[in-house]
Amino acid sequence: MWCPRCRNVFVEQLDWLATNPRYTLRFALHVGLLCRDMPNTAVAAIEHLHHSTVKDLDKRYMQQQLARAGTPAPRAIGVDEIAIRKGHTYRIVVSDLERARPIWFGGQGRREEDFDQFFAALGAKKAARLQLAVMDMWRAFRNSLERNAPHARIVFDKFHVLRHLSDALDEVRRSEHRRLAGQDRTFIKGQRYTLLSRWENLSRDGRHSLKKLLAANRRLNTAYVLKEQFGQLWDYQREGWARAFFERWRESLKWQRLKPYEKFAAMIERHWDGIAAYCKPKNKVSLGVVEGLNNKIRVLQRRAYGYRDEEYLKLKIITAFLPPLSRRASRGPL
């Protein structure tokens, strides 16, 4: 628009246009909504857009989601790391367990200084509000939390603990496969998934194969039963009851020749405070949020065959659990 008074050219701002006047706000919201459930290449093909345009619109959509969600001030957080590419390249994800959504993604690994960046972004005032942190038994995370929020209670994540137990069971399976020969070995070969899965998650054929395997090998049968029993530890409401259960479970390892299980029991003993803390009613939070978040992140990465733009990956992760924008969002900047 030419202004005769200023003798210059200006761009008129219209409410129904985005900051880039090549598309409308309603269209930008439409593209961003599609990108929540579809790969960018598919959205580009449907809307006849270049993939970079789709990515730009999706970024603007997610930035407005974050702006409307507000600055988090969590009471209970979950901490975990994800591999963003091969070569042990990790980033830390912090989740608000009460709101069941991720709130921070960053760092250059999983060191203490990487987790310190979260507390720097959170601020001292909000860090003082933290009461509970659910994490794995990685020492660097614990050191950073104790330095930045020493009043916060630590609970070790149930799923990470059980993953160590599954690894111990798998080690028993491999040792049995090496020890046996002939027909006895054929029962074990190809049964890793069946043995490491929970009974309720197996299909009918899987349960039949598992029964056949456990009937053929006494050590694997004992190891599997012990693994299934250990999950009861998180059901107790008092630490004394949980401790009594653990002592009975560890006592049952005697004379079983299960060295991986003995190492696992020693690890639980060293980290008992963070495991027993979950027994207290005030520490009862959903431990499945962090694991569910990790599964959704893996789906996002597979759908995009890996994100080269790390800022884009960060937006995807943090907004994955936020509700979609409503039509009223078209009134705001996008």
Side-chain angles (χ1 to χ4, degrees):
M1 182 180 68
W2 169 262
C3 178
R5 179 184 302 175
C6 302
R7 305 187 66 81
N8 207 340
V9 177
F10 296 91
V11 177
E12 180 70 16
Q13 296 296 326
L14 303 177
D15 293 339
W16 49 275
L17 282 179
T19 53
N20 186 332
R22 291 180 298 173
Y23 48 81
T24 64
L25 284 172
R26 187 171 64 176
F27 181 72
L29 288 173
H30 170 68
V31 172
L33 188 61
L34 289 179
C35 289
R36 287 175 61 89
D37 301 312
M38 297 172 60
N40 289 12
T41 52
V43 177
I46 292 173
E47 300 298 336
H48 305 287
L49 297 171
H50 193 269
H51 63 84
S52 62
T53 303
V54 173
K55 179 181 175 182
D56 180 60
L57 292 175
D58 193 23
K59 273 188 173 182
R60 293 173 182 269
Y61 180 92
M62 292 186 291
Q63 287 166 354
Q64 188 164 350
Q65 278 185 292
L66 287 180
R68 290 178 175 270
T71 305
R75 185 194 69 87
I77 60 171
V79 186
D80 200 6
E81 75 277 356
I82 64 166
I84 62 171
R85 63 181 66 93
K86 294 181 179 179
H88 298 284
T89 304
Y90 296 100
R91 296 295 181 267
I92 299 174
V93 181
V94 181
S95 307
D96 186 333
L97 297 182
E98 292 183 326
R99 293 171 178 81
R101 70 176 183 91
I103 58 175
W104 189 82
F105 171 92
Q108 296 298 318
R110 49 177 183 167
R111 301 164 299 176
E112 290 183 36
E113 50 266 36
D114 295 311
F115 194 25
D116 289 342
Q117 295 178 28
F118 163 71
F119 291 103
L122 187 65
K125 186 176 180 180
K126 291 182 179 179
R129 188 178 182 271
L130 278 178
Q131 299 179 19
L132 188 67
V134 179
M135 61 181 68
D136 60 18
M137 291 175 282
W138 186 244
R139 187 64 193 178
F141 290 167
R142 188 171 186 174
N143 291 342
S144 178
L145 182 74
E146 291 174 347
R147 182 170 57 254
N148 293 283
H151 54 279
R153 300 181 299 274
I154 295 177
V155 174
F156 291 130
D157 186 14
K158 168 185 176 181
F159 297 97
H160 283 91
V161 175
L162 293 180
R163 193 174 302 164
H164 284 285
L165 183 54
S166 294
D167 291 342
L169 175 58
D170 192 38
E171 191 172 339
V172 174
R173 180 192 65 84
R174 292 196 300 268
S175 66
E176 286 298 285
H177 187 268
R178 291 191 298 267
R179 185 178 66 87
L180 299 175
Q183 185 67 24
D184 293 334
R185 175 181 278 192
T186 59
F187 287 106
I188 301 175
K189 187 175 181 180
Q191 297 297 325
R192 181 177 184 273
Y193 173 80
T194 302
L195 186 63
L196 298 183
S197 298
R198 294 184 62 86
W199 176 262
E200 57 268 22
N201 296 334
L202 290 173
S203 63
R204 185 175 180 179
D205 292 339
R207 293 181 180 183
H208 177 73
S209 298
L210 180 62
K211 285 182 178 179
K212 189 176 180 181
L213 171 63
L214 298 182
N217 192 290
R218 177 180 171 275
R219 289 190 70 205
L220 284 180
N221 180 70
T222 302
Y224 183 83
V225 171
L226 287 170
K227 171 182 171 290
E228 291 292 296
Q229 289 177 347
F230 191 81
Q232 301 175 23
L233 181 65
W234 283 267
D235 296 335
Y236 291 100
Q237 301 295 320
R238 295 184 180 180
E239 182 179 349
W241 296 345
R243 185 69 195 189
F245 168 81
F246 174 65
E247 292 295 344
R248 291 194 302 270
W249 186 87
R250 186 165 58 175
E251 186 70 19
S252 63
L253 296 179
K254 288 186 176 181
W255 319 114
Q256 299 297 339
R257 296 180 295 116
L258 298 174
K259 290 294 183 182
Y261 274 55
E262 294 173 7
K263 293 180 180 178
F264 172 78
M267 182 191 69
I268 296 299
E269 182 66 42
R270 292 194 303 269
H271 299 86
W272 177 253
D273 291 344
I275 296 174
Y278 186 69
C279 297
K280 299 178 182 179
K282 60 183 178 181
N283 295 343
K284 293 290 186 182
V285 294
S286 177
L287 298 179
V289 172
V290 177
E291 190 68 14
L293 171 64
N294 287 343
N295 291 334
K296 191 155 190 175
I297 290 173
R298 295 186 192 104
V299 172
L300 288 172
Q301 290 177 310
R302 285 197 301 269
R303 194 173 73 189
Y305 301 102
Y307 288 100
R308 295 182 180 179
D309 186 344
E310 196 164 314
E311 180 64 24
Y312 191 41
L313 175 61
K314 174 182 177 179
L315 288 171
K316 278 290 189 184
I317 291 173
I318 296 180
T319 60
F321 286 74
L322 290 177
L325 294 176
S326 64
R327 290 188 176 273
R328 292 183 179 182
S330 61
R331 300 176 183 176
L334 190 65

Short mmCIF file of all heavy atoms in Angstrom, two decimals, residues 190-227:
data_model
loop_
_atom_site.label_atom_id
_atom_site.label_comp_id
_atom_site.label_asym_id
_atom_site.label_seq_id
_atom_site.Cartn_x
_atom_site.Cartn_y
_atom_site.Cartn_z
N GLY A 190 15.35 -68.65 19.82
CA GLY A 190 14.26 -67.88 19.24
C GLY A 190 13.15 -67.52 20.20
O GLY A 190 12.08 -67.06 19.77
N GLN A 191 13.35 -67.71 21.51
CA GLN A 191 12.29 -67.46 22.49
C GLN A 191 12.58 -66.22 23.36
O GLN A 191 11.97 -66.07 24.42
CB GLN A 191 12.12 -68.68 23.39
CG GLN A 191 11.67 -69.93 22.68
CD GLN A 191 10.28 -69.75 22.06
OE1 GLN A 191 9.42 -69.09 22.61
NE2 GLN A 191 10.10 -70.36 20.89
N ARG A 192 13.47 -65.35 22.93
CA ARG A 192 13.83 -64.19 23.76
C ARG A 192 12.62 -63.29 24.02
O ARG A 192 12.34 -62.92 25.17
CB ARG A 192 14.94 -63.38 23.07
CG ARG A 192 15.39 -62.16 23.88
CD ARG A 192 16.53 -61.45 23.17
NE ARG A 192 17.02 -60.35 23.99
CZ ARG A 192 16.52 -59.12 23.98
NH1 ARG A 192 15.49 -58.84 23.16
NH2 ARG A 192 17.02 -58.19 24.75
N TYR A 193 11.89 -62.93 22.98
CA TYR A 193 10.73 -62.04 23.15
C TYR A 193 9.68 -62.69 24.04
O TYR A 193 9.10 -62.05 24.93
CB TYR A 193 10.13 -61.68 21.80
CG TYR A 193 8.83 -60.92 21.90
CD1 TYR A 193 8.83 -59.55 22.16
CD2 TYR A 193 7.60 -61.57 21.77
CE1 TYR A 193 7.64 -58.85 22.28
CE2 TYR A 193 6.41 -60.87 21.88
CZ TYR A 193 6.44 -59.52 22.13
OH TYR A 193 5.25 -58.82 22.26
N THR A 194 9.43 -63.97 23.83
CA THR A 194 8.43 -64.67 24.62
C THR A 194 8.81 -64.69 26.10
O THR A 194 7.96 -64.47 26.97
CB THR A 194 8.27 -66.11 24.10
OG1 THR A 194 7.91 -66.08 22.73
CG2 THR A 194 7.22 -66.86 24.90
N LEU A 195 10.08 -64.92 26.39
CA LEU A 195 10.52 -65.03 27.77
C LEU A 195 10.51 -63.67 28.48
O LEU A 195 10.18 -63.59 29.66
CB LEU A 195 11.93 -65.63 27.81
CG LEU A 195 12.49 -65.95 29.19
CD1 LEU A 195 11.64 -67.03 29.87
CD2 LEU A 195 13.94 -66.41 29.08
N LEU A 196 10.85 -62.60 27.77
CA LEU A 196 10.95 -61.29 28.40
C LEU A 196 9.62 -60.55 28.48
O LEU A 196 9.52 -59.52 29.15
CB LEU A 196 11.97 -60.42 27.65
CG LEU A 196 13.41 -60.95 27.63
CD1 LEU A 196 14.32 -59.96 26.91
CD2 LEU A 196 13.93 -61.21 29.04
N SER A 197 8.60 -61.03 27.82
CA SER A 197 7.29 -60.39 27.85
C SER A 197 6.50 -60.81 29.09
O SER A 197 6.68 -61.91 29.61
CB SER A 197 6.49 -60.74 26.59
OG SER A 197 7.14 -60.29 25.43
N ARG A 198 5.63 -59.92 29.52
CA ARG A 198 4.73 -60.26 30.62
C ARG A 198 3.67 -61.23 30.12
O ARG A 198 3.27 -61.20 28.95
CB ARG A 198 4.08 -59.00 31.19
CG ARG A 198 5.07 -58.07 31.88
CD ARG A 198 4.36 -56.89 32.50
NE ARG A 198 3.43 -57.33 33.54
CZ ARG A 198 3.77 -57.56 34.80
NH1 ARG A 198 5.03 -57.40 35.19
NH2 ARG A 198 2.87 -57.94 35.69
N TRP A 199 3.19 -62.07 31.04
CA TRP A 199 2.24 -63.12 30.67
C TRP A 199 0.98 -62.53 30.01
O TRP A 199 0.50 -63.04 29.00
CB TRP A 199 1.86 -63.91 31.91
CG TRP A 199 0.81 -64.96 31.68
CD1 TRP A 199 -0.52 -64.87 31.93
CD2 TRP A 199 1.01 -66.27 31.12
NE1 TRP A 199 -1.17 -66.03 31.58
CE2 TRP A 199 -0.25 -66.91 31.08
CE3 TRP A 199 2.13 -66.96 30.66
CZ2 TRP A 199 -0.41 -68.19 30.59
CZ3 TRP A 199 1.96 -68.25 30.18
CH2 TRP A 199 0.70 -68.85 30.15
N GLU A 200 0.45 -61.42 30.57
CA GLU A 200 -0.79 -60.85 30.04
C GLU A 200 -0.60 -60.20 28.67
O GLU A 200 -1.60 -59.94 27.97
CB GLU A 200 -1.37 -59.83 31.02
CG GLU A 200 -0.44 -58.68 31.37
CD GLU A 200 0.38 -58.98 32.60
OE1 GLU A 200 0.54 -60.16 32.95
OE2 GLU A 200 0.84 -58.01 33.23
N ASN A 201 0.65 -59.95 28.28
CA ASN A 201 0.90 -59.31 26.98
C ASN A 201 1.13 -60.33 25.86
O ASN A 201 1.26 -59.92 24.70
CB ASN A 201 2.12 -58.39 27.07
CG ASN A 201 1.89 -57.23 28.01
OD1 ASN A 201 0.75 -56.81 28.23
ND2 ASN A 201 2.96 -56.68 28.57
N LEU A 202 1.18 -61.59 26.20
CA LEU A 202 1.45 -62.62 25.20
C LEU A 202 0.17 -63.07 24.51
O LEU A 202 -0.91 -63.07 25.10
CB LEU A 202 2.14 -63.83 25.84
CG LEU A 202 3.58 -63.63 26.32
CD1 LEU A 202 4.04 -64.85 27.10
CD2 LEU A 202 4.51 -63.36 25.14
N SER A 203 0.32 -63.47 23.27
CA SER A 203 -0.81 -64.05 22.54
C SER A 203 -1.01 -65.50 23.00
O SER A 203 -0.25 -66.03 23.82
CB SER A 203 -0.53 -64.02 21.03
OG SER A 203 0.60 -64.82 20.72
N ARG A 204 -2.02 -66.12 22.44
CA ARG A 204 -2.31 -67.52 22.81
C ARG A 204 -1.15 -68.43 22.45
O ARG A 204 -0.73 -69.28 23.24
CB ARG A 204 -3.58 -67.96 22.11
CG ARG A 204 -4.07 -69.35 22.49
CD ARG A 204 -5.39 -69.66 21.82
NE ARG A 204 -5.88 -70.99 22.18
CZ ARG A 204 -7.02 -71.49 21.74
NH1 ARG A 204 -7.79 -70.76 20.93
NH2 ARG A 204 -7.41 -72.70 22.11
N ASP A 205 -0.60 -68.24 21.24
CA ASP A 205 0.55 -69.05 20.82
C ASP A 205 1.77 -68.74 21.67
O ASP A 205 2.56 -69.64 21.98
CB ASP A 205 0.85 -68.79 19.34
CG ASP A 205 -0.24 -69.32 18.43
OD1 ASP A 205 -1.00 -70.20 18.87
OD2 ASP A 205 -0.33 -68.84 17.28
N GLY A 206 1.94 -67.45 22.03
CA GLY A 206 3.08 -67.08 22.86
C GLY A 206 3.02 -67.72 24.23
O GLY A 206 4.05 -68.17 24.76
N ARG A 207 1.84 -67.78 24.82
CA ARG A 207 1.70 -68.43 26.13
C ARG A 207 1.99 -69.93 26.04
O ARG A 207 2.59 -70.51 26.96
CB ARG A 207 0.30 -68.18 26.68
CG ARG A 207 0.03 -66.72 27.02
CD ARG A 207 -1.36 -66.51 27.58
NE ARG A 207 -1.58 -65.10 27.91
CZ ARG A 207 -2.69 -64.63 28.46
NH1 ARG A 207 -3.69 -65.47 28.74
NH2 ARG A 207 -2.81 -63.34 28.73
N HIS A 208 1.55 -70.53 24.96
CA HIS A 208 1.82 -71.96 24.78
C HIS A 208 3.33 -72.21 24.66
O HIS A 208 3.86 -73.15 25.27
CB HIS A 208 1.10 -72.47 23.53
CG HIS A 208 1.37 -73.91 23.21
ND1 HIS A 208 0.84 -74.95 23.95
CD2 HIS A 208 2.15 -74.48 22.24
CE1 HIS A 208 1.26 -76.09 23.45
NE2 HIS A 208 2.05 -75.84 22.41
N SER A 209 4.03 -71.35 23.90
CA SER A 209 5.48 -71.50 23.74
C SER A 209 6.20 -71.27 25.07
O SER A 209 7.18 -71.96 25.38
CB SER A 209 6.00 -70.51 22.69
OG SER A 209 5.42 -70.77 21.42
N LEU A 210 5.71 -70.30 25.84
CA LEU A 210 6.35 -70.01 27.13
C LEU A 210 6.18 -71.18 28.09
O LEU A 210 7.12 -71.57 28.79
CB LEU A 210 5.77 -68.74 27.72
CG LEU A 210 6.35 -68.31 29.07
CD1 LEU A 210 7.85 -68.03 28.94
CD2 LEU A 210 5.62 -67.07 29.60
N LYS A 211 5.00 -71.75 28.15
CA LYS A 211 4.77 -72.91 29.01
C LYS A 211 5.71 -74.06 28.62
O LYS A 211 6.27 -74.74 29.49
CB LYS A 211 3.31 -73.36 28.91
CG LYS A 211 2.32 -72.46 29.62
CD LYS A 211 0.92 -73.04 29.50
CE LYS A 211 -0.10 -72.19 30.25
NZ LYS A 211 -1.48 -72.73 30.11
N LYS A 212 5.85 -74.26 27.34
CA LYS A 212 6.71 -75.34 26.86
C LYS A 212 8.16 -75.09 27.24
O LYS A 212 8.88 -76.01 27.66
CB LYS A 212 6.56 -75.44 25.34
CG LYS A 212 7.23 -76.65 24.72
CD LYS A 212 6.93 -76.70 23.22
CE LYS A 212 7.61 -77.91 22.58
NZ LYS A 212 7.33 -77.95 21.11
N LEU A 213 8.61 -73.82 27.12
CA LEU A 213 9.98 -73.48 27.46
C LEU A 213 10.24 -73.63 28.95
O LEU A 213 11.26 -74.22 29.36
CB LEU A 213 10.26 -72.03 27.03
CG LEU A 213 11.58 -71.41 27.50
CD1 LEU A 213 12.76 -72.17 26.91
CD2 LEU A 213 11.64 -69.94 27.12
N LEU A 214 9.34 -73.12 29.79
CA LEU A 214 9.55 -73.17 31.24
C LEU A 214 9.48 -74.61 31.77
O LEU A 214 10.15 -74.95 32.75
CB LEU A 214 8.52 -72.30 31.95
CG LEU A 214 8.58 -70.79 31.60
CD1 LEU A 214 7.55 -70.03 32.41
CD2 LEU A 214 9.97 -70.23 31.83
N ALA A 215 8.67 -75.44 31.12
CA ALA A 215 8.60 -76.84 31.54
C ALA A 215 9.87 -77.60 31.19
O ALA A 215 10.23 -78.57 31.86
CB ALA A 215 7.39 -77.51 30.88
N ALA A 216 10.59 -77.13 30.15
CA ALA A 216 11.78 -77.83 29.69
C ALA A 216 13.05 -77.40 30.41
O ALA A 216 14.05 -78.11 30.38
CB ALA A 216 11.96 -77.63 28.18
N ASN A 217 13.03 -76.22 31.06
CA ASN A 217 14.24 -75.70 31.68
C ASN A 217 13.92 -75.15 33.07
O ASN A 217 13.20 -74.15 33.21
CB ASN A 217 14.85 -74.60 30.81
CG ASN A 217 16.25 -74.21 31.25
OD1 ASN A 217 16.43 -73.60 32.30
ND2 ASN A 217 17.25 -74.56 30.45
N ARG A 218 14.43 -75.79 34.08
CA ARG A 218 14.12 -75.44 35.46
C ARG A 218 14.67 -74.07 35.85
O ARG A 218 14.00 -73.28 36.51
CB ARG A 218 14.67 -76.52 36.41
CG ARG A 218 14.45 -76.21 37.88
CD ARG A 218 15.02 -77.31 38.76
NE ARG A 218 14.99 -76.92 40.17
CZ ARG A 218 15.93 -76.20 40.77
NH1 ARG A 218 16.98 -75.78 40.05
NH2 ARG A 218 15.84 -75.88 42.05
N ARG A 219 15.91 -73.76 35.44
CA ARG A 219 16.51 -72.48 35.82
C ARG A 219 15.75 -71.31 35.20
O ARG A 219 15.52 -70.28 35.85
CB ARG A 219 17.98 -72.43 35.39
CG ARG A 219 18.90 -73.33 36.21
CD ARG A 219 20.34 -73.02 35.88
NE ARG A 219 20.75 -71.73 36.40
CZ ARG A 219 21.74 -71.01 35.90
NH1 ARG A 219 22.39 -71.44 34.83
NH2 ARG A 219 22.07 -69.86 36.44
N LEU A 220 15.36 -71.44 33.94
CA LEU A 220 14.59 -70.38 33.30
C LEU A 220 13.22 -70.23 33.94
O LEU A 220 12.70 -69.12 34.07
CB LEU A 220 14.45 -70.66 31.80
CG LEU A 220 15.68 -70.38 30.94
CD1 LEU A 220 15.39 -70.71 29.49
CD2 LEU A 220 16.12 -68.93 31.07
N ASN A 221 12.64 -71.34 34.35
CA ASN A 221 11.34 -71.29 35.03
C ASN A 221 11.47 -70.52 36.34
O ASN A 221 10.63 -69.65 36.66
CB ASN A 221 10.84 -72.71 35.28
CG ASN A 221 9.49 -72.71 35.97
OD1 ASN A 221 8.48 -72.34 35.38
ND2 ASN A 221 9.47 -73.11 37.23
N THR A 222 12.50 -70.80 37.12
CA THR A 222 12.72 -70.11 38.39
C THR A 222 12.98 -68.62 38.15
O THR A 222 12.42 -67.76 38.85
CB THR A 222 13.91 -70.72 39.14
OG1 THR A 222 13.65 -72.12 39.37
CG2 THR A 222 14.13 -70.02 40.47
N ALA A 223 13.82 -68.31 37.16
CA ALA A 223 14.14 -66.90 36.87
C ALA A 223 12.90 -66.13 36.42
O ALA A 223 12.70 -64.97 36.79
CB ALA A 223 15.22 -66.84 35.80
N TYR A 224 12.07 -66.77 35.62
CA TYR A 224 10.86 -66.09 35.13
C TYR A 224 9.89 -65.82 36.27
O TYR A 224 9.31 -64.72 36.37
CB TYR A 224 10.19 -66.94 34.04
CG TYR A 224 8.98 -66.29 33.43
CD1 TYR A 224 9.12 -65.37 32.40
CD2 TYR A 224 7.69 -66.57 33.90
CE1 TYR A 224 8.01 -64.75 31.84
CE2 TYR A 224 6.58 -65.96 33.34
CZ TYR A 224 6.74 -65.05 32.32
OH TYR A 224 5.64 -64.44 31.77
N VAL A 225 9.69 -66.80 37.14
CA VAL A 225 8.77 -66.62 38.27
C VAL A 225 9.27 -65.50 39.20
O VAL A 225 8.50 -64.67 39.67
CB VAL A 225 8.62 -67.95 39.04
CG1 VAL A 225 7.85 -67.73 40.35
CG2 VAL A 225 7.90 -68.98 38.17
N LEU A 226 10.58 -65.47 39.45
CA LEU A 226 11.14 -64.43 40.30
C LEU A 226 10.96 -63.05 39.68
O LEU A 226 10.70 -62.06 40.38
CB LEU A 226 12.62 -64.70 40.55
CG LEU A 226 12.93 -65.87 41.50
CD1 LEU A 226 14.42 -66.19 41.48
CD2 LEU A 226 12.48 -65.54 42.93
N LYS A 227 11.11 -62.97 38.38
CA LYS A 227 10.91 -61.69 37.69
C LYS A 227 9.46 -61.22 37.82
O LYS A 227 9.20 -60.04 38.09
CB LYS A 227 11.28 -61.84 36.21
CG LYS A 227 10.91 -60.63 35.35
CD LYS A 227 11.25 -60.88 33.91
CE LYS A 227 10.69 -59.79 33.01
NZ LYS A 227 9.21 -59.85 32.92
#
